[in-house]
Amino acid sequence: DTSTIVKAQQQTPVDTLPIKRDTAKLPTPVQKQLAEKVTPIEEQGPVKAKAIKYSQVKKLMADPTVMILDARNEHEFAEGHLPNSRNIFALEFERYIPELIGMNKDIRIIVYCGGGQCELSHELSNNLIGLGFKKVYIYLGGWDDWKKNVMWK
């Protein structure tokens, strides 16, 4: 009797999605090796500027590809600065973004200011890191430490 079959079909729920059993592909040995070597970005932590001292600055300065940035204002820069340094006043950073944005983000950059209580180098280095630069160093002693060391050498 067809009415019995129709009633049975109406009462029995029909599963429209086929059941997949263990269809996920297992990682290949090469994929496993790559996964072990790669640290997810979340686990790497944020890029931070590394503090360096006079002797390290001297060594880095020997490399012509290292950029040296003075974070002080133009008047302080004009009164004296590290050899081959450029002046990017930290409080006017926005002016320099168009020039910096297209640069190689893997270059090494030394940032300094007056030293001591001066926070301009920290502000400038944070802004550079925010633009994507990865190798930023802060010369904590700054211009004061430089002058002191150069006079005694």
Side-chain angles (χ1 to χ4, degrees), residues 22-65:
D22 299 322
T23 56
K25 291 182 181 176
L26 296 172
T28 64
V30 173
Q31 289 171 327
K32 284 181 186 176
Q33 285 177 339
L34 287 173
E36 290 169 7
K37 289 181 183 175
V38 176
T39 306
I41 291 173
E42 305 83 46
E43 293 176 27
Q44 292 175 12
V47 173
K48 292 185 179 125
K50 294 166 187 66
I52 59 174
K53 55 188 180 202
Y54 175 79
S55 60
Q56 294 165 306
V57 171
K58 288 289 285 184
K59 285 180 189 165
L60 284 168
M61 287 175 81
D63 182 344
T65 64

Side-chain angles (χ1 to χ4, degrees), residues 2 20 38 61 69 72 80-81 91 93 119 131 140 142 152:
T2 55
K20 293 185 178 182
V38 176
M61 287 175 81
L69 298 178
R72 302 173 300 158
H81 53 268
L91 302 181
F93 181 74
E119 291 293 320
L131 272 185
L140 292 179
W152 297 109

Side-chain angles (χ1 to χ4, degrees), residues 27-147:
T28 64
V30 173
Q31 289 171 327
K32 284 181 186 176
Q33 285 177 339
L34 287 173
E36 290 169 7
K37 289 181 183 175
V38 176
T39 306
I41 291 173
E42 305 83 46
E43 293 176 27
Q44 292 175 12
V47 173
K48 292 185 179 125
K50 294 166 187 66
I52 59 174
K53 55 188 180 202
Y54 175 79
S55 60
Q56 294 165 306
V57 171
K58 288 289 285 184
K59 285 180 189 165
L60 284 168
M61 287 175 81
D63 182 344
T65 64
V66 172
M67 184 187 303
I68 305 162
L69 298 178
D70 187 321
R72 302 173 300 158
N73 68 44
E74 63 187 64
H75 304 294
E76 291 174 299
F77 182 79
E79 290 174 8
H81 53 268
L82 272 67
N84 301 317
S85 61
R86 269 191 69 196
N87 185 218
I88 293 185
F89 182 37
L91 302 181
E92 295 176 356
F93 181 74
E94 296 78 27
R95 286 179 39 201
Y96 302 93
I97 291 174
E99 179 185 345
L100 294 167
I101 202 114
M103 292 179 65
N104 175 359
K105 301 301 187 278
D106 287 319
I107 64 167
R108 292 180 292 175
I109 303 174
I110 299 170
V111 181
Y112 73 95
C113 57
Q117 298 300 311
C118 180
E119 291 293 320
L120 294 172
S121 59
H122 295 273
E123 184 169 338
L124 180 55
S125 64
N126 287 336
N127 285 332
L128 290 166
I129 290 166
L131 272 185
F133 289 93
K134 299 173 188 83
K135 299 174 183 173
V136 181
Y137 304 90
I138 298 178
Y139 176 23
L140 292 179
W143 178 241
D144 292 342
D145 186 60
W146 180 266
K147 287 189 302 187

